[in-house]
Amino acid sequence: MLSRSCTLFLGTLLCSSVSFGQTESTAPLNLTLATPVDSVRFQNHRYNEFYRANRDFSYISPNGELGAPSKYVINGELIASYFLLASPKSRLSIAVTQRFMARTRTDRSSPIRTPSFRLGTQVFYRLSSNVTRYRYVEAQFFHHSNGQDGDTFRPNGTYNTETGDFSTNYIQATYNWGTHFSQRHGAYYNLGYRWHAPIFNSSEGLTGHYGFGRVLGQATYRLLARTQPEPVSTVTTERMRVTLQASYAVNQLDGWSLTAAQRRLNVELSVWYIPAFSRDAGIFATAGYYGEDPYNIYFNDRYAFVRLGIAAGFTRYTDELRK
């Protein structure tokens, strides 16, 4: 069922993209470049950098989420995107992305129970020719699983968080916009909707208890710096990022009204900093609240938390087109 859904979804996206032409006015850019370049090619090049820059960071966090119901030795998430299409010749870009989250518990032998794995496809489409005030849309299809096949419930009716099966699939659409002022600062925002459609398979015990429909939003502010003194380098990198992310479940949840924010709201505020001696890794601090823990079958947990650690994925921007 998953393979057939993936095929239909990707086929629809690719077929629909054919209708979008690459013809576009080559009006002068709102940016001074060191060397003349074809404007459409540079627009596509810059937007491909935005797609990468606006992804979440990979991270490692000693002690995990401080405030969680369970105690952890270390938590982490690895995010990797493989761009199958990211060319200056096309305003359409396609990536296959995997997200692997693991929480190492303080129990005997430090087990990693039910690791959380998401694998999917992201499709990006540039809406604007402006590279300082940009706009694009994104579509996603993801499979989310914990790799377990045990019974979802224990004999006493509670969720089996040790070996219980958790599996679901979702599609997501977001509208993205922001600003990018080279060597200075930038902002990024998005609004979207994630839907675990009924046509997709999902594990037992999720209906009426899991956020199958979530409204999503994000606001980010970043500080940029030139990696070398002018005019030697045309490359800039992030030095600091502040991000506010939130989502709200809008589907029916048994025993909870639509206004029950304590059960439906997930929100976190993060500050990320990359020191001058590092290329793409830095430190971070996050404070937040989970009304629905995103760690697969632990979704019933609700708690406020603090997370500290190191992160990777800070982006370098360059005005030079890849050959």
Side-chain angles (χ1 to χ4, degrees):
M1 180 66 181
L2 172 59
S3 177
R4 188 180 307 164
S5 299
C6 289
T7 302
L8 290 173
F9 181 73
L10 292 176
T12 302
L13 286 173
L14 292 174
C15 289
S16 62
S17 68
V18 174
S19 62
F20 293 107
Q22 182 57 33
T23 59
E24 182 173 341
S25 171
T26 56
L29 297 173
N30 296 326
L31 185 67
T32 301
L33 303 179
T35 57
V37 295
D38 176 80
S39 63
V40 173
R41 286 176 55 84
F42 185 79
Q43 290 159 18
N44 293 333
H45 159 76
R46 179 61 84 208
Y47 272 70
N48 282 326
E49 292 188 322
F50 294 152
Y51 305 151
R52 292 183 172 91
N54 292 332
R55 293 175 300 166
D56 293 335
F57 289 129
S58 298
Y59 71 86
I60 296 173
S61 178
N63 295 321
E65 281 76 27
L66 304 176
S70 300
K71 302 300 181 182
Y72 300 104
V73 177
I74 193 169
N75 292 358
E77 183 172 18
L78 175 63
I79 305 173
S81 294
Y82 309 91
F83 277 80
L84 305 179
L85 175 63
S87 169
K89 298 179 181 180
S90 173
R91 65 166 65 193
L92 179 76
S93 294
I94 301 174
V96 174
T97 299
Q98 60 181 8
R99 303 181 62 137
F100 181 80
M101 182 186 291
R103 295 177 176 177
T104 305
R105 303 173 65 89
T106 56
D107 300 355
R108 183 176 177 272
S109 80
S110 300
I112 300 176
R113 291 180 181 163
T114 69
S116 200
F117 184 72
R118 283 186 278 173
L119 177 65
T121 299
Q122 296 173 271
V123 179
F124 307 89
Y125 188 79
R126 176 172 64 85
L127 294 177
S128 172
S129 61
N130 196 319
V131 296
T132 57
R133 300 184 184 277
Y134 58 87
R135 294 182 293 113
Y136 65 89
V137 290
E138 176 187 354
Q140 301 181 5
F141 175 83
F142 271 86
H143 172 67
H144 185 190
S145 174
N146 67 350
Q148 306 296 313
D149 60 0
D151 293 336
T152 302
F153 295 99
R154 302 185 183 96
N156 63 2
T158 60
Y159 283 89
N160 176 10
T161 56
E162 287 80 19
T163 61
D165 169 66
F166 176 93
S167 177
T168 184
N169 308 282
Y170 64 83
I171 56 177
Q172 179 175 314
T174 56
Y175 175 72
N176 308 266
W177 73 99
T179 59
H180 176 85
F181 299 101
S182 189
Q183 295 97 47
R184 288 188 289 167
H185 57 86
Y188 166 66
Y189 311 92
N190 72 28
L191 285 174
Y193 184 71
R194 178 178 297 174
W195 185 37
H196 300 251
I199 61 173
F200 301 140
N201 289 329
S202 60
S203 298
E204 178 188 8
L206 298 186
T207 302
H209 301 277
Y210 186 76
F212 278 156
R214 300 192 75 92
V215 177
L216 312 163
Q218 177 176 331
T220 294
Y221 177 77
R222 52 169 60 93
L223 293 176
L224 308 174
R226 189 178 288 276
T227 56
Q228 298 180 28
E230 297 184 51
V232 176
S233 176
T234 60
V235 177
T236 58
T237 188
E238 286 188 74
R239 282 289 172 247
M240 180 176 289
R241 179 187 295 193
V242 181
T243 299
L244 176 65
Q245 294 177 303
S247 69
Y248 198 88
V250 294
N251 60 295
Q252 180 178 348
L253 295 175
D254 294 349
W256 299 94
S257 69
L258 186 59
T259 58
Q262 72 272 26
R263 175 62 179 84
R264 297 176 176 273
L265 176 67
N266 282 7
V267 60
E268 54 187 77
L269 175 66
S270 301
V271 179
W272 320 77
Y273 173 72
I274 177 172
F277 56 78
S278 178
R279 178 179 175 85
D280 61 0
I283 58 176
F284 76 92
T286 298
Y289 173 80
Y290 288 149
E292 179 179 279
D293 190 341
Y295 196 64
N296 56 71
I297 203 167
Y298 288 83
F299 62 89
N300 280 308
D301 289 344
R302 302 188 301 277
Y303 56 93
F305 66 89
V306 172
R307 185 192 303 129
L308 307 170
I310 60 175
F314 290 84
T315 302
R316 289 192 169 192
Y317 301 87
T318 175
D319 292 343
E320 298 179 1
L321 291 172
R322 184 175 296 181
K323 300 294 185 181

